[in-house]
Tab-separated table of all heavy atoms in Angstrom:
chain	number	residue	atom	x	y	z
A	1	ASP	N	99.139	77.968	101.136
A	1	ASP	CA	98.000	78.484	100.408
A	1	ASP	C	97.475	77.392	99.485
A	1	ASP	O	98.020	77.172	98.410
A	1	ASP	CB	98.434	79.727	99.639
A	1	ASP	CG	97.325	80.315	98.775
A	1	ASP	OD1	96.182	79.858	98.848
A	1	ASP	OD2	97.632	81.248	98.031
A	2	PRO	N	96.438	76.698	99.884
A	2	PRO	CA	95.936	75.575	99.087
A	2	PRO	C	95.350	75.972	97.745
A	2	PRO	O	95.234	75.144	96.849
A	2	PRO	CB	94.874	74.949	99.991
A	2	PRO	CG	94.474	76.028	100.927
A	2	PRO	CD	95.681	76.905	101.097
A	3	ALA	N	94.993	77.222	97.569
A	3	ALA	CA	94.380	77.655	96.308
A	3	ALA	C	95.343	78.469	95.449
A	3	ALA	O	94.934	79.103	94.490
A	3	ALA	CB	93.124	78.465	96.590
A	4	ALA	N	96.608	78.492	95.804
A	4	ALA	CA	97.636	79.216	95.040
A	4	ALA	C	97.293	80.690	94.844
A	4	ALA	O	97.583	81.282	93.830
A	4	ALA	CB	97.882	78.534	93.705
A	5	GLY	N	96.645	81.274	95.844
A	5	GLY	CA	96.328	82.698	95.789
A	5	GLY	C	95.092	83.056	95.004
A	5	GLY	O	94.691	84.208	94.957
A	6	ASP	N	94.442	82.061	94.390
A	6	ASP	CA	93.270	82.337	93.565
A	6	ASP	C	91.978	81.851	94.184
A	6	ASP	O	90.928	81.911	93.553
A	6	ASP	CB	93.429	81.682	92.180
A	6	ASP	CG	94.561	82.303	91.393
A	6	ASP	OD1	94.759	83.530	91.529
A	6	ASP	OD2	95.246	81.572	90.672
A	7	GLY	N	92.039	81.362	95.391
A	7	GLY	CA	90.861	80.763	95.996
A	7	GLY	C	90.062	81.734	96.842
A	7	GLY	O	90.303	82.938	96.877
A	8	ASP	N	89.116	81.150	97.521
A	8	ASP	CA	88.257	81.864	98.453
A	8	ASP	C	89.133	82.548	99.511
A	8	ASP	O	90.032	81.913	100.080
A	8	ASP	CB	87.324	80.846	99.105
A	8	ASP	CG	86.359	81.446	100.106
A	8	ASP	OD1	86.561	82.594	100.547
A	8	ASP	OD2	85.392	80.756	100.445
A	9	PRO	N	88.892	83.835	99.799
A	9	PRO	CA	89.707	84.525	100.808
A	9	PRO	C	89.711	83.831	102.168
A	9	PRO	O	90.664	83.963	102.925
A	9	PRO	CB	89.067	85.908	100.902
A	9	PRO	CG	88.414	86.103	99.582
A	9	PRO	CD	87.950	84.733	99.151
A	10	ALA	N	88.663	83.062	102.460
A	10	ALA	CA	88.642	82.332	103.726
A	10	ALA	C	89.726	81.259	103.748
A	10	ALA	O	90.204	80.868	104.808
A	10	ALA	CB	87.271	81.701	103.941
A	11	LEU	N	90.124	80.766	102.561
A	11	LEU	CA	91.174	79.758	102.476
A	11	LEU	C	92.552	80.375	102.283
A	11	LEU	O	93.558	79.708	102.480
A	11	LEU	CB	90.902	78.804	101.298
A	11	LEU	CG	89.660	77.944	101.392
A	11	LEU	CD1	89.486	77.134	100.119
A	11	LEU	CD2	89.736	77.028	102.609
A	12	THR	N	92.618	81.616	101.871
A	12	THR	CA	93.896	82.281	101.593
A	12	THR	C	93.966	83.603	102.351
A	12	THR	O	93.906	84.671	101.754
A	12	THR	CB	94.071	82.524	100.082
A	12	THR	OG1	92.971	83.308	99.622
A	12	THR	CG2	94.122	81.235	99.306
A	13	PRO	N	94.078	83.532	103.686
A	13	PRO	CA	94.034	84.765	104.478
A	13	PRO	C	95.336	85.564	104.469
A	13	PRO	O	95.389	86.637	105.048
A	13	PRO	CB	93.735	84.250	105.886
A	13	PRO	CG	94.381	82.908	105.914
A	13	PRO	CD	94.190	82.357	104.518
A	14	PHE	N	96.380	85.056	103.809
A	14	PHE	CA	97.669	85.728	103.858
A	14	PHE	C	97.839	86.685	102.688
A	14	PHE	O	97.375	86.432	101.588
A	14	PHE	CB	98.804	84.700	103.831
A	14	PHE	CG	98.672	83.684	104.922
A	14	PHE	CD1	98.254	82.400	104.641
A	14	PHE	CD2	98.931	84.032	106.238
A	14	PHE	CE1	98.114	81.459	105.650
A	14	PHE	CE2	98.790	83.103	107.255
A	14	PHE	CZ	98.377	81.813	106.957
A	15	GLN	N	98.507	87.786	102.941
A	15	GLN	CA	98.834	88.760	101.906
A	15	GLN	C	100.325	89.062	102.014
A	15	GLN	O	100.722	90.095	102.546
A	15	GLN	CB	98.012	90.035	102.075
A	15	GLN	CG	96.530	89.815	101.924
A	15	GLN	CD	95.736	91.085	102.201
A	15	GLN	OE1	96.164	91.954	102.938
A	15	GLN	NE2	94.579	91.162	101.606
A	16	PRO	N	101.179	88.152	101.517
A	16	PRO	CA	102.625	88.371	101.656
A	16	PRO	C	103.099	89.599	100.885
A	16	PRO	O	102.524	89.953	99.857
A	16	PRO	CB	103.246	87.096	101.087
A	16	PRO	CG	102.184	86.424	100.315
A	16	PRO	CD	100.871	86.933	100.806
A	17	ARG	N	104.109	90.234	101.420
A	17	ARG	CA	104.711	91.410	100.784
A	17	ARG	C	106.215	91.227	100.879
A	17	ARG	O	106.743	90.957	101.954
A	17	ARG	CB	104.282	92.655	101.522
A	17	ARG	CG	104.814	93.936	100.935
A	17	ARG	CD	104.053	95.104	101.545
A	17	ARG	NE	104.274	96.421	101.187
A	17	ARG	CZ	105.325	97.065	100.738
A	17	ARG	NH1	106.314	96.529	100.525
A	17	ARG	NH2	105.433	98.297	100.476
A	18	THR	N	106.893	91.374	99.763
A	18	THR	CA	108.348	91.240	99.733
A	18	THR	C	108.962	92.614	99.530
A	18	THR	O	108.532	93.364	98.661
A	18	THR	CB	108.770	90.309	98.570
A	18	THR	OG1	108.126	89.050	98.733
A	18	THR	CG2	110.268	90.130	98.546
A	19	ILE	N	109.944	92.936	100.361
A	19	ILE	CA	110.678	94.190	100.166
A	19	ILE	C	112.149	93.839	99.957
A	19	ILE	O	112.649	92.850	100.490
A	19	ILE	CB	110.488	95.184	101.332
A	19	ILE	CG1	111.042	94.639	102.639
A	19	ILE	CG2	109.030	95.560	101.481
A	19	ILE	CD1	111.068	95.663	103.749
A	20	ASP	N	112.830	94.663	99.181
A	20	ASP	CA	114.242	94.396	98.911
A	20	ASP	C	115.116	94.961	100.030
A	20	ASP	O	114.643	95.664	100.926
A	20	ASP	CB	114.657	94.931	97.544
A	20	ASP	CG	114.524	96.444	97.422
A	20	ASP	OD1	114.618	97.158	98.435
A	20	ASP	OD2	114.328	96.916	96.299
A	21	THR	N	116.380	94.638	99.980
A	21	THR	CA	117.316	95.023	101.032
A	21	THR	C	117.376	96.535	101.221
A	21	THR	O	117.349	97.029	102.350
A	21	THR	CB	118.724	94.478	100.718
A	21	THR	OG1	118.635	93.065	100.567
A	21	THR	CG2	119.709	94.820	101.811
A	22	LEU	N	117.449	97.270	100.123
A	22	LEU	CA	117.535	98.731	100.237
A	22	LEU	C	116.308	99.300	100.931
A	22	LEU	O	116.419	100.144	101.823
A	22	LEU	CB	117.708	99.354	98.842
A	22	LEU	CG	117.868	100.860	98.809
A	22	LEU	CD1	119.097	101.308	99.602
A	22	LEU	CD2	117.980	101.353	97.376
A	23	GLN	N	115.144	98.832	100.549
A	23	GLN	CA	113.910	99.308	101.173
A	23	GLN	C	113.885	98.930	102.653
A	23	GLN	O	113.466	99.719	103.501
A	23	GLN	CB	112.703	98.719	100.447
A	23	GLN	CG	111.383	99.277	100.903
A	23	GLN	CD	110.229	98.742	100.082
A	23	GLN	OE1	110.410	97.963	99.155
A	23	GLN	NE2	109.042	99.172	100.410
A	24	PHE	N	114.358	97.729	102.980
A	24	PHE	CA	114.412	97.291	104.373
A	24	PHE	C	115.346	98.184	105.182
A	24	PHE	O	115.028	98.617	106.282
A	24	PHE	CB	114.863	95.833	104.431
A	24	PHE	CG	115.083	95.316	105.823
A	24	PHE	CD1	114.008	95.044	106.654
A	24	PHE	CD2	116.367	95.097	106.307
A	24	PHE	CE1	114.209	94.566	107.928
A	24	PHE	CE2	116.575	94.618	107.580
A	24	PHE	CZ	115.491	94.349	108.394
A	25	TRP	N	116.519	98.465	104.624
A	25	TRP	CA	117.527	99.245	105.341
A	25	TRP	C	117.116	100.698	105.568
A	25	TRP	O	117.645	101.345	106.458
A	25	TRP	CB	118.867	99.179	104.606
A	25	TRP	CG	119.643	97.942	104.902
A	25	TRP	CD1	119.158	96.679	105.006
A	25	TRP	CD2	121.033	97.853	105.153
A	25	TRP	NE1	120.166	95.812	105.296
A	25	TRP	CE2	121.328	96.494	105.387
A	25	TRP	CE3	122.061	98.783	105.184
A	25	TRP	CZ2	122.615	96.053	105.670
A	25	TRP	CZ3	123.343	98.334	105.455
A	25	TRP	CH2	123.613	96.989	105.702
A	26	THR	N	116.201	101.230	104.772
A	26	THR	CA	115.773	102.615	104.985
A	26	THR	C	115.007	102.768	106.288
A	26	THR	O	114.977	103.856	106.858
A	26	THR	CB	114.878	103.120	103.841
A	26	THR	OG1	113.661	102.376	103.825
A	26	THR	CG2	115.580	103.059	102.505
A	27	GLY	N	114.371	101.672	106.737
A	27	GLY	CA	113.591	101.739	107.969
A	27	GLY	C	112.262	102.421	107.802
A	27	GLY	O	111.582	102.713	108.777
A	28	ASN	N	111.854	102.686	106.552
A	28	ASN	CA	110.593	103.377	106.311
A	28	ASN	C	109.391	102.445	106.266
A	28	ASN	O	108.263	102.902	106.202
A	28	ASN	CB	110.670	104.166	104.997
A	28	ASN	CG	111.643	105.320	105.092
A	28	ASN	OD1	111.847	105.882	106.170
A	28	ASN	ND2	112.267	105.670	103.989
A	29	GLU	N	109.640	101.147	106.288
A	29	GLU	CA	108.548	100.180	106.243
A	29	GLU	C	107.818	100.198	107.598
A	29	GLU	O	108.451	100.170	108.646
A	29	GLU	CB	109.110	98.786	105.954
A	29	GLU	CG	108.089	97.774	105.574
A	29	GLU	CD	107.389	98.073	104.266
A	29	GLU	OE1	107.988	98.700	103.377
A	29	GLU	OE2	106.225	97.680	104.137
A	30	PRO	N	106.481	100.251	107.578
A	30	PRO	CA	105.729	100.296	108.847
A	30	PRO	C	105.614	98.902	109.473
A	30	PRO	O	104.588	98.235	109.372
A	30	PRO	CB	104.363	100.831	108.410
A	30	PRO	CG	104.217	100.369	106.993
A	30	PRO	CD	105.612	100.375	106.423
A	31	PHE	N	106.677	98.444	110.128
A	31	PHE	CA	106.737	97.083	110.658
A	31	PHE	C	105.564	96.752	111.577
A	31	PHE	O	105.095	95.624	111.614
A	31	PHE	CB	108.048	96.855	111.401
A	31	PHE	CG	109.273	96.980	110.542
A	31	PHE	CD1	110.349	97.740	110.959
A	31	PHE	CD2	109.360	96.335	109.329
A	31	PHE	CE1	111.491	97.849	110.186
A	31	PHE	CE2	110.498	96.437	108.532
A	31	PHE	CZ	111.566	97.203	108.968
A	32	ALA	N	105.100	97.705	112.344
A	32	ALA	CA	104.013	97.461	113.291
A	32	ALA	C	102.690	97.153	112.590
A	32	ALA	O	101.760	96.653	113.225
A	32	ALA	CB	103.851	98.658	114.217
A	33	ASP	N	102.600	97.402	111.295
A	33	ASP	CA	101.369	97.121	110.550
A	33	ASP	C	101.233	95.643	110.181
A	33	ASP	O	100.208	95.226	109.668
A	33	ASP	CB	101.309	97.947	109.259
A	33	ASP	CG	101.097	99.425	109.525
A	33	ASP	OD1	100.838	99.805	110.690
A	33	ASP	OD2	101.206	100.201	108.562
A	34	TYR	N	102.272	94.849	110.433
A	34	TYR	CA	102.285	93.443	110.022
A	34	TYR	C	102.092	92.517	111.212
A	34	TYR	O	102.534	92.811	112.326
A	34	TYR	CB	103.609	93.106	109.317
A	34	TYR	CG	103.810	93.882	108.054
A	34	TYR	CD1	104.643	94.992	108.020
A	34	TYR	CD2	103.134	93.531	106.892
A	34	TYR	CE1	104.813	95.724	106.858
A	34	TYR	CE2	103.304	94.255	105.716
A	34	TYR	CZ	104.142	95.348	105.711
A	34	TYR	OH	104.304	96.073	104.563
A	35	ASP	N	101.445	91.370	110.955
A	35	ASP	CA	101.302	90.338	111.984
A	35	ASP	C	102.587	89.542	112.124
A	35	ASP	O	102.924	89.082	113.208
A	35	ASP	CB	100.163	89.375	111.620
A	35	ASP	CG	98.806	90.063	111.625
A	35	ASP	OD1	98.577	90.906	112.512
A	35	ASP	OD2	97.989	89.763	110.742
A	36	LEU	N	103.291	89.358	111.002
A	36	LEU	CA	104.513	88.565	110.984
A	36	LEU	C	105.520	89.181	110.019
A	36	LEU	O	105.156	89.560	108.911
A	36	LEU	CB	104.211	87.127	110.528
A	36	LEU	CG	105.416	86.231	110.233
A	36	LEU	CD1	106.141	85.875	111.528
A	36	LEU	CD2	104.993	84.983	109.479
A	37	ILE	N	106.757	89.255	110.453
A	37	ILE	CA	107.853	89.686	109.585
A	37	ILE	C	108.830	88.526	109.518
A	37	ILE	O	109.256	87.995	110.548
A	37	ILE	CB	108.555	90.942	110.133
A	37	ILE	CG1	107.583	92.119	110.163
A	37	ILE	CG2	109.802	91.272	109.301
A	37	ILE	CD1	108.108	93.344	110.870
A	38	ALA	N	109.174	88.104	108.307
A	38	ALA	CA	110.147	87.032	108.103
A	38	ALA	C	111.409	87.641	107.512
A	38	ALA	O	111.370	88.236	106.446
A	38	ALA	CB	109.579	85.971	107.170
A	39	LEU	N	112.508	87.506	108.220
A	39	LEU	CA	113.801	87.948	107.707
A	39	LEU	C	114.485	86.720	107.119
A	39	LEU	O	114.813	85.777	107.836
A	39	LEU	CB	114.660	88.548	108.828
A	39	LEU	CG	114.130	89.804	109.503
A	39	LEU	CD1	115.122	90.288	110.563
A	39	LEU	CD2	113.852	90.889	108.500
A	40	CYS	N	114.670	86.717	105.824
A	40	CYS	CA	115.224	85.560	105.118
A	40	CYS	C	116.594	85.897	104.562
A	40	CYS	O	116.720	86.726	103.669
A	40	CYS	CB	114.294	85.145	103.974
A	40	CYS	SG	112.600	84.882	104.504
A	41	ASN	N	117.615	85.259	105.123
A	41	ASN	CA	118.982	85.435	104.656
A	41	ASN	C	119.430	86.898	104.704
A	41	ASN	O	120.086	87.392	103.791
A	41	ASN	CB	119.136	84.852	103.241
A	41	ASN	CG	120.571	84.548	102.900
A	41	ASN	OD1	121.401	84.390	103.773
A	41	ASN	ND2	120.864	84.490	101.614
A	42	VAL	N	119.051	87.586	105.760
A	42	VAL	CA	119.452	88.986	105.948
A	42	VAL	C	120.819	88.993	106.633
A	42	VAL	O	120.989	88.434	107.714
A	42	VAL	CB	118.418	89.752	106.798
A	42	VAL	CG1	118.896	91.158	107.102
A	42	VAL	CG2	117.077	89.791	106.072
A	43	GLU	N	121.787	89.604	105.983
A	43	GLU	CA	123.166	89.583	106.482
A	43	GLU	C	123.351	90.436	107.731
A	43	GLU	O	124.072	90.064	108.651
A	43	GLU	CB	124.103	90.063	105.377
A	43	GLU	CG	125.557	89.801	105.679
A	43	GLU	CD	126.429	90.066	104.474
A	43	GLU	OE1	126.097	89.567	103.382
A	43	GLU	OE2	127.424	90.782	104.635
A	44	ALA	N	122.719	91.596	107.769
A	44	ALA	CA	122.870	92.505	108.906
A	44	ALA	C	121.633	93.390	108.996
A	44	ALA	O	120.951	93.618	108.009
A	44	ALA	CB	124.119	93.364	108.742
A	45	VAL	N	121.381	93.877	110.206
A	45	VAL	CA	120.249	94.780	110.434
A	45	VAL	C	120.800	96.046	111.070
A	45	VAL	O	121.384	95.991	112.155
A	45	VAL	CB	119.193	94.134	111.360
A	45	VAL	CG1	118.050	95.088	111.624
A	45	VAL	CG2	118.673	92.828	110.761
A	46	PRO	N	120.641	97.196	110.412
A	46	PRO	CA	121.107	98.453	111.000
A	46	PRO	C	120.428	98.709	112.358
A	46	PRO	O	119.284	98.299	112.581
A	46	PRO	CB	120.687	99.512	109.979
A	46	PRO	CG	120.486	98.765	108.706
A	46	PRO	CD	120.033	97.402	109.094
A	47	ALA	N	121.120	99.365	113.251
A	47	ALA	CA	120.618	99.609	114.607
A	47	ALA	C	119.255	100.300	114.597
A	47	ALA	O	118.365	99.949	115.382
A	47	ALA	CB	121.630	100.435	115.395
A	48	GLU	N	119.065	101.268	113.712
A	48	GLU	CA	117.794	101.997	113.667
A	48	GLU	C	116.650	101.072	113.257
A	48	GLU	O	115.537	101.164	113.764
A	48	GLU	CB	117.867	103.176	112.686
A	48	GLU	CG	118.941	104.197	112.996
A	48	GLU	CD	120.313	103.789	112.462
A	48	GLU	OE1	120.412	102.995	111.508
A	48	GLU	OE2	121.306	104.267	113.024
A	49	VAL	N	116.936	100.173	112.318
A	49	VAL	CA	115.918	99.227	111.853
A	49	VAL	C	115.639	98.199	112.943
A	49	VAL	O	114.489	97.831	113.190
A	49	VAL	CB	116.352	98.552	110.535
A	49	VAL	CG1	115.364	97.485	110.113
A	49	VAL	CG2	116.507	99.598	109.435
A	50	ALA	N	116.683	97.750	113.631
A	50	ALA	CA	116.511	96.799	114.730
A	50	ALA	C	115.613	97.385	115.808
A	50	ALA	O	114.760	96.685	116.373
A	50	ALA	CB	117.866	96.413	115.307
A	51	GLU	N	115.784	98.648	116.091
A	51	GLU	CA	114.950	99.306	117.100
A	51	GLU	C	113.488	99.341	116.650
A	51	GLU	O	112.579	99.083	117.438
A	51	GLU	CB	115.455	100.719	117.360
A	51	GLU	CG	114.707	101.435	118.456
A	51	GLU	CD	115.280	102.809	118.768
A	51	GLU	OE1	116.460	103.065	118.463
A	51	GLU	OE2	114.516	103.625	119.321
A	52	LYS	N	113.256	99.617	115.368
A	52	LYS	CA	111.885	99.634	114.852
A	52	LYS	C	111.278	98.236	114.862
A	52	LYS	O	110.092	98.065	115.173
A	52	LYS	CB	111.851	100.232	113.446
A	52	LYS	CG	112.125	101.725	113.457
A	52	LYS	CD	112.083	102.309	112.074
A	52	LYS	CE	112.366	103.811	112.148
A	52	LYS	NZ	112.206	104.467	110.869
A	53	LEU	N	112.085	97.214	114.552
A	53	LEU	CA	111.606	95.841	114.639
A	53	LEU	C	111.263	95.483	116.085
A	53	LEU	O	110.234	94.861	116.354
A	53	LEU	CB	112.664	94.872	114.106
A	53	LEU	CG	112.812	94.781	112.595
A	53	LEU	CD1	114.061	93.983	112.234
A	53	LEU	CD2	111.582	94.158	111.956
A	54	GLU	N	112.111	95.874	117.003
A	54	GLU	CA	111.863	95.598	118.421
A	54	GLU	C	110.566	96.252	118.878
A	54	GLU	O	109.755	95.629	119.573
A	54	GLU	CB	113.039	96.090	119.264
A	54	GLU	CG	112.875	95.791	120.739
A	54	GLU	CD	114.069	96.251	121.566
A	54	GLU	OE1	115.066	96.739	121.004
A	54	GLU	OE2	113.991	96.099	122.792
A	55	ASN	N	110.355	97.496	118.491
A	55	ASN	CA	109.119	98.194	118.859
A	55	ASN	C	107.895	97.485	118.286
A	55	ASN	O	106.865	97.355	118.960
A	55	ASN	CB	109.152	99.651	118.397
A	55	ASN	CG	110.141	100.478	119.175
A	55	ASN	OD1	110.521	100.127	120.287
A	55	ASN	ND2	110.587	101.575	118.585
A	56	ALA	N	108.001	97.017	117.042
A	56	ALA	CA	106.896	96.295	116.416
A	56	ALA	C	106.612	95.001	117.171
A	56	ALA	O	105.448	94.651	117.422
A	56	ALA	CB	107.205	96.015	114.947
A	57	MET	N	107.678	94.293	117.564
A	57	MET	CA	107.491	93.038	118.294
A	57	MET	C	106.866	93.288	119.667
A	57	MET	O	106.023	92.522	120.117
A	57	MET	CB	108.821	92.299	118.433
A	57	MET	CG	109.311	91.755	117.108
A	57	MET	SD	110.806	90.734	117.175
A	57	MET	CE	111.822	91.498	118.379
A	58	GLN	N	107.242	94.378	120.311
A	58	GLN	CA	106.645	94.705	121.602
A	58	GLN	C	105.155	95.018	121.450
A	58	GLN	O	104.385	94.843	122.384
A	58	GLN	CB	107.380	95.879	122.252
A	58	GLN	CG	108.747	95.496	122.747
A	58	GLN	CD	109.555	96.669	123.272
A	58	GLN	OE1	109.202	97.829	123.075
A	58	GLN	NE2	110.659	96.374	123.926
A	59	GLY	N	104.764	95.427	120.239
A	59	GLY	CA	103.360	95.707	119.955
A	59	GLY	C	102.591	94.495	119.449
A	59	GLY	O	101.412	94.598	119.139
A	60	GLY	N	103.271	93.343	119.324
A	60	GLY	CA	102.573	92.127	118.935
A	60	GLY	C	102.970	91.536	117.599
A	60	GLY	O	102.497	90.457	117.248
A	61	THR	N	103.822	92.191	116.839
A	61	THR	CA	104.279	91.633	115.561
A	61	THR	C	105.247	90.485	115.835
A	61	THR	O	106.141	90.622	116.665
A	61	THR	CB	104.984	92.715	114.725
A	61	THR	OG1	104.055	93.760	114.436
A	61	THR	CG2	105.520	92.159	113.418
A	62	ALA	N	105.055	89.363	115.142
A	62	ALA	CA	105.958	88.222	115.283
A	62	ALA	C	107.136	88.382	114.332
A	62	ALA	O	106.993	88.963	113.245
A	62	ALA	CB	105.217	86.935	114.981
A	63	LEU	N	108.292	87.871	114.731
A	63	LEU	CA	109.493	87.929	113.904
A	63	LEU	C	110.005	86.510	113.690
A	63	LEU	O	110.222	85.765	114.650
A	63	LEU	CB	110.569	88.780	114.573
A	63	LEU	CG	111.881	88.931	113.789
A	63	LEU	CD1	111.651	89.683	112.484
A	63	LEU	CD2	112.918	89.650	114.643
A	64	PHE	N	110.189	86.140	112.432
A	64	PHE	CA	110.698	84.819	112.055
A	64	PHE	C	112.002	85.055	111.305
A	64	PHE	O	112.026	85.751	110.297
A	64	PHE	CB	109.674	84.128	111.155
A	64	PHE	CG	110.055	82.756	110.693
A	64	PHE	CD1	110.385	81.761	111.588
A	64	PHE	CD2	110.053	82.462	109.340
A	64	PHE	CE1	110.721	80.489	111.153
A	64	PHE	CE2	110.381	81.196	108.900
A	64	PHE	CZ	110.716	80.205	109.809
A	65	VAL	N	113.109	84.510	111.819
A	65	VAL	CA	114.425	84.725	111.229
A	65	VAL	C	114.933	83.406	110.652
A	65	VAL	O	115.002	82.392	111.360
A	65	VAL	CB	115.429	85.262	112.274
A	65	VAL	CG1	116.794	85.463	111.646
A	65	VAL	CG2	114.919	86.559	112.883
A	66	MET	N	115.261	83.424	109.353
A	66	MET	CA	115.841	82.259	108.680
A	66	MET	C	117.255	82.614	108.254
A	66	MET	O	117.451	83.562	107.501
A	66	MET	CB	114.992	81.871	107.471
A	66	MET	CG	113.620	81.364	107.861
A	66	MET	SD	112.613	80.943	106.450
A	66	MET	CE	111.971	82.573	106.040
A	67	LEU	N	118.205	81.874	108.757
A	67	LEU	CA	119.607	82.129	108.439
A	67	LEU	C	119.953	81.482	107.110
A	67	LEU	O	119.450	80.422	106.777
A	67	LEU	CB	120.496	81.580	109.556
A	67	LEU	CG	120.186	82.096	110.955
A	67	LEU	CD1	121.087	81.420	111.970
A	67	LEU	CD2	120.325	83.602	111.019
A	68	GLY	N	120.795	82.136	106.348
A	68	GLY	CA	121.220	81.613	105.055
A	68	GLY	C	122.710	81.338	105.058
A	68	GLY	O	123.405	81.585	106.025
A	69	GLY	N	123.168	80.854	103.946
A	69	GLY	CA	124.574	80.501	103.913
A	69	GLY	C	125.274	81.018	102.774
A	69	GLY	O	125.587	81.660	102.021
């Protein structure tokens, strides 16, 4: 984001949203509403949430996984 979030919307087309682990684990987040989901240092994904992520990806949502240590 070259304008640090304060610039012309044409230059800052991203609207990042951060959710915490508890909110992620509930599976209530509408994953299919996002163009990209980044999982950063997520230790485990419950089966129900994995299924919802898979469905979102089959609908066109991209998934980016970053492993942590």
